[in-house]
Amino acid sequence: MIVEWLAEIGANLGLWVISWFDGIEIPDWFGMFAELLAQVLASAAGMGAWVPWGLLFSVVGAVFTLWGIIILVKAVRWVVGWVPTMGGS
Amino acid sequence: MRRLTIALLAGTLGVTLAVVPPTLAPDQAAQALCISSISPQCQPGNIPILVQAGVIAAPSTSSAGVGIPAYSTISAGLSQQTSAVAGLTLSGILGTSATAFAALWSLFSGGEAQTDAVLSQDGIKGLKLDTDPAYTSPGGGMPDWATHTNGECFMASTQLSDWRERVLSAVTAHCDPAVPDVVVLEPKAAFNDPAGTMTFDTTSPGTLALIWQRSTAPFSPTSVHAVCSVGGVPTRKPSPTITVNTFDASSTKTATESVCGIDPFYGWLVSGPFGAVGYNGGATLVGPATDLPAGGEPIVEGTLTVSISCKGPGGVYEVEADYAYSVAAGESVLPPDVTCQPGDIAIDAGVTNTSPGQTEPEVLVDREQNGVLPEIEEMPDLYPECFGPDASPCALRLERANAGAWVTCGDGAILCPDWAQLVEPALTDQYRCVYGTNVLDIRYCSSFRAPSIGLLPNTDENGDLIHPNAPIPKLDGFLRLYTPQGDPWLTPELPGAFPDDVVDLARECYPNIDKDGWGVLNPVSWVLQPIQCALRWAFVPRTSVLEERLTTVSQAWETSPPGQIVNSVALIIPETVPQGCEGIPFSLAPFADAGGPALGLPSNTVYIAPACEGDILQPWAVMVNLLLSGTVLILGIRAMIGQVGALVNGGGPAG
């Protein structure tokens, strides 16, 4: 029940954050931009001989993944810091 | 308005009469007289709550030796379906004796959003689904019910028309066309479901009776009886008078799943001018039969008296009807309707037969033994707003707490599959049982329970029927399940009793009374087991709960603006790494000549910087690829080192 309670809190927190965006509509230009970007990427598919797409995607993915991990670690460290005897007062 | 459900089929006596062999010699059984389908019904708008089926049988008095063989099967499984079964011994009926069964069953809600007792079209009593979309989930429901005709509930219009033609053709062959009258067909449903009755008015095409049919039990293409008008008396012809072998059984499923949203406990339900006959079967004659030769048939006479007790907000009253019959052996009779006032319910019913010369009627169906459940009988007193001619039908439904509000558990409580796993106080904290606007004790929703799996006691985890003839859960706090043989699977002693797995859990949590129980000095068991259980209760989440939370958040995320943006971006990213070498395509279509591609080229698409094998730029592409690879690697490694360094040094994440 405790874990379920935590899950409930986490879910409600997530729903609360998501609710911040209620009423916001995605502008039309975003869809056009995404479509344009998709066309560009599709065109770039024929440049595989020039550009190391696989390596590029892997490196970019690794950088962003590491970035996310670091943010998560910092967040956990910040939360733990509030606990007495573990950095908090 | 939220409503629905009293799936109380009834107000109808479907008395099926057939031979029960034990007291009859084979030759006697072969000459049995069957009286079938005594079908009084509630008036339009009433709530039918009672269905009875009885069996009487007698050897024919025919001296001509006309045989009507093998009327030996009668509503098999009927006793298993009933919540109250009374065995009757009918002595002296029509000059013989036979054992008979009179069965009564009633039900209170096989599932939410399934039925409500409302006046259906054509003034025919029927059960109707709620039109509230909140109760029409998932996969069930029929929000556009009101726009459908009764026939369309059974099957699509074109199929209905086809079926009508087949039926009319068959009826014409057996009935007197000069006497157009109501024709009753008594089809036998598949999967050994007892038969019901479908009424068919030849004088008013289009007034096909209501038919509900379980999706898993298509309408049987065989075993259809015709009931013709003989001297103004609807008389059933011996079975099988009509056989619609060419009927496409698969088409019978049309619309029943998507439109009718069948209650899984109903085989199917038919209603019409002669009354509604549901799961009880009406008349089910199995086996070959022979039409009697013209003339010389033995005539059996008598008077059937059908009576019911009705109850509404105004109290209890009696309704009775006599029906004098004079039929040839082997034919059947249909007594007139017996109805309660609109909106009232029938609380008991009985049938007697009086033969010529008899002073005391024989009891065929003993009303003393065929009353509805006390919980149902008291409903008009407790919830008067749900009964009476002007009342709105009320529904029994299970609701769960959600963010400070109560939301429905849906059709058959399908949205709350784990609710029966809970125990007090979590059970009543999270769930409540509602009838109309009244909050009942949670035990009243026991009809939504299932032992460990499934949603309803008579369904498996896929929603399929475990046994089509299993009984319908009662409106009480007890979960009663029965095997096809009628043996109880699980009979909890207390309201709110738990499924087996919960019981097993409880056993794990406390010392075994036989081995190391409380009476045995075993501190380890005394302490360790409860603590283990408590820890498990505290820290091991239920998968269903986590899945529900995750699903809720996921759905909210996907419909939110950030979620939509992320999804859009995800769609942009190619699923596979581009590895083409043909270069960037460029269309010259705007410059195309009238007679062909632009500039005399072979195609309107040219490729910029092609570097495939054989292209002049291919060696250069290799060198550029190597150069870019090295650059990307260096920049990537540098970025990651910077990030890690920033973390170690306490700074923000480096880009």
Side-chain angles (χ1 to χ4, degrees), chain B residues 475-493:
Chain B
L475 175 63
D476 64 10
F478 305 105
L479 177 62
R480 293 189 179 91
L481 301 177
Y482 294 86
T483 65
Q485 291 74 38
D487 301 324
W489 285 338
L490 180 63
T491 307
E493 296 179 353

Side-chain angles (χ1 to χ4, degrees), chain B residues 209-245:
Chain B
L210 290 173
I211 294 179
W212 282 267
Q213 185 180 18
R214 191 180 61 226
S215 58
T216 54
F219 203 67
S220 172
T222 60
S223 302
V224 179
H225 304 253
V227 177
C228 307
S229 176
V230 178
V233 177
T235 305
R236 194 176 73 175
K237 305 297 290 184
S239 168
T241 304
I242 300 172
T243 300
V244 195
N245 286 324

Side-chain angles (χ1 to χ4, degrees), chain B residues 296-338:
Chain B
E297 300 96 335
I299 300 299
V300 180
E301 296 179 334
T303 301
L304 291 174
T305 300
V306 182
S307 55
I308 59 175
S309 298
C310 301
K311 186 176 183 181
V316 178
Y317 56 93
E318 302 291 320
V319 181
E320 187 173 286
D322 292 334
Y323 176 68
Y325 62 88
S326 177
V327 297
E331 294 186 337
S332 305
V333 295
L334 294 168
D337 299 347
V338 179

Side-chain angles (χ1 to χ4, degrees), chain B residues 10 59 103 106 219 224-225 311 350 353 357 385 431 450 457 460 475 496 508 559:
Chain B
S106 59
F219 203 67
V224 179
H225 304 253
K311 186 176 183 181
N353 176 65
E385 72 275 13
Y431 291 97
D460 60 18
L475 175 63
E508 292 176 13
T559 56

